[in-house]
Amino acid sequence: MARRKRSTHPVFYFNFRSPYAWLAYHDLMERYPDVARVLEWRPWWEPDAANERRLNEAGGTFSYVAMSKEKHLYILQDVRRLTRDRGLSVTWPVDRDPVWEVPHLPYFVARELGRAPEYVSAVYEARWHRGMDICDPATIAVLAAELGLPVDRMTGAATDPGLREKEAHEALLALSDAGAFGPPFFTHGFDKFWGVDRLPAFVESVRASLDGAPADAAPAASGAPAEVLPEADFTAALAGDQGHPGGCG
C-alpha cells in the first residue's frame, strides 16, 4: 500500500553509514546552524530482516538498491574531493556484516534523555574520524561511557523489543511515507531534496518559510514529535563537532 504524507515541518533524514550524510551533517552544523536547529531530525537506516518484515506488514516499504563495485569506487573518489574541499580528513571504516540497528536505535534512547545532538556528533566522529566499527556494540558502549549515557540501555537498544516495536517501527514507517529512498534526505512540505549537493536548495526553502518569523515558531509535523534542537543542546553539539580532528571547524 503506497502512502505519501506531507510534513509541514522541515525534516533531515540522517544516517551514520553514508559519507554523504556525514558531509550533510557537517555542512548543516558549520554553514547553516540557523537551519540545523529548527529541523526535525529522523534516523534513516537499512532495517534488519525482522524490522523490514514488520514494516512491510504495516504497508510500508524500504527503498534501497545495493550499489555496484563501480559506484563504490566512484564514491571513494568523490568523497575524497568533497572532504578535501572542506578541509576534512577521513578514516574509511571497514564494514563487516553490519547491523545498522546497533548505532541508529540508541539515538532514540539519547533523544529520550535529551542528549541526541551529542550522540549524533559522537557517532559521526567515531565512524569517519576515529575509524571505529559503529556496528559493534562495544563501540556504542565506549561512546555511551564517554557521553555519560547509560551503557546498558544504549548497547541494548538494537535488541530492545519495546523500542523496536514502537520508536524504530514508527521511524521506518515515517521514512517510507516520505519516500526517503536514500540518505541524506530532506523534506519540506511536498518538496524533497536528496543528496548533499541539494542541501543549499533545502536551506533556501526553509529560510524562505521562516523569513520574518521566529525559528521556534515553525510548525511541528502532525502526529510526530518535533525534534527541534534546544539552543543549549545545539550549542553543545556544535562545540563537539568543532573538536573533530582534520580541520572540521
Side-chain angles (χ1 to χ4, degrees), residues 102 132-146 151 154-155:
V102 173
M132 300 172 75
D133 179 3
I134 61 171
C135 289
D136 183 347
T139 298
I140 302 303
V142 170
L143 300 182
E146 291 176 350
V151 173
M154 296 292 282
T155 56

Side-chain angles (χ1 to χ4, degrees), residues 9-223:
H9 202 81
V11 179
F12 172 31
Y13 291 89
F14 68 91
N15 170 260
F16 294 133
R17 177 183 183 179
S18 163
Y20 295 109
W22 164 53
L23 292 170
Y25 169 78
H26 169 270
D27 288 357
L28 269 172
M29 302 301 280
E30 295 292 325
R31 300 177 180 177
Y32 315 113
D34 57 317
V35 172
R37 67 168 58 95
V38 301
L39 299 180
E40 183 176 339
W41 294 57
R42 295 183 179 178
W44 187 110
W45 76 96
E46 298 100 310
D48 62 18
N51 271 333
E52 185 167 13
R53 183 172 58 253
R54 186 178 295 111
L55 172 66
N56 294 337
E57 289 172 351
T61 58
F62 182 75
S63 301
Y64 181 76
V65 178
M67 290 185 292
S68 64
K69 175 183 176 182
E70 288 74 18
K71 189 171 183 179
H72 274 291
L73 293 174
Y74 171 80
I75 287 175
L76 289 173
Q77 184 183 76
D78 190 42
V79 170
R80 188 180 305 118
R81 284 193 296 262
L82 295 174
T83 53
R84 184 173 60 238
D85 290 346
R86 290 164 172 78
L88 296 171
S89 63
V90 57
T91 301
W92 282 99
V94 178
D95 299 323
R96 298 182 178 87
D97 300 322
V99 176
W100 294 107
E101 272 80 4
V102 173
H104 288 89
L105 267 58
Y107 169 79
F108 298 112
V109 178
R111 185 183 69 183
E112 174 191 329
L113 299 173
R115 305 290 300 280
E118 294 143 284
Y119 178 71
V120 171
S121 177
V123 176
Y124 276 128
E125 178 170 347
R127 179 165 173 78
W128 297 108
H129 292 298
R130 300 168 70 180
M132 300 172 75
D133 179 3
I134 61 171
C135 289
D136 183 347
T139 298
I140 302 303
V142 170
L143 300 182
E146 291 176 350
L147 293 171
L149 293 169
V151 173
D152 289 346
R153 287 194 66 192
M154 296 292 282
T155 56
T159 56
D160 183 319
L163 196 151
R164 289 173 64 92
E165 292 176 8
K166 181 171 174 51
E167 286 88 349
H169 181 61
E170 290 175 352
L172 290 171
L173 273 176
L175 66 88
S176 173
D177 289 343
F181 54 84
F185 203 89
F186 313 89
T187 60
H188 189 207
F190 287 115
D191 289 332
K192 302 174 182 178
F193 306 83
W194 175 54
V196 66
D197 60 338
R198 297 274 70 84
L199 177 57
F202 171 70
V203 167
E204 182 179 356
S205 175
V206 174
R207 283 177 172 168
S209 71
L210 298 176
D211 187 27
D216 59 3
S222 176

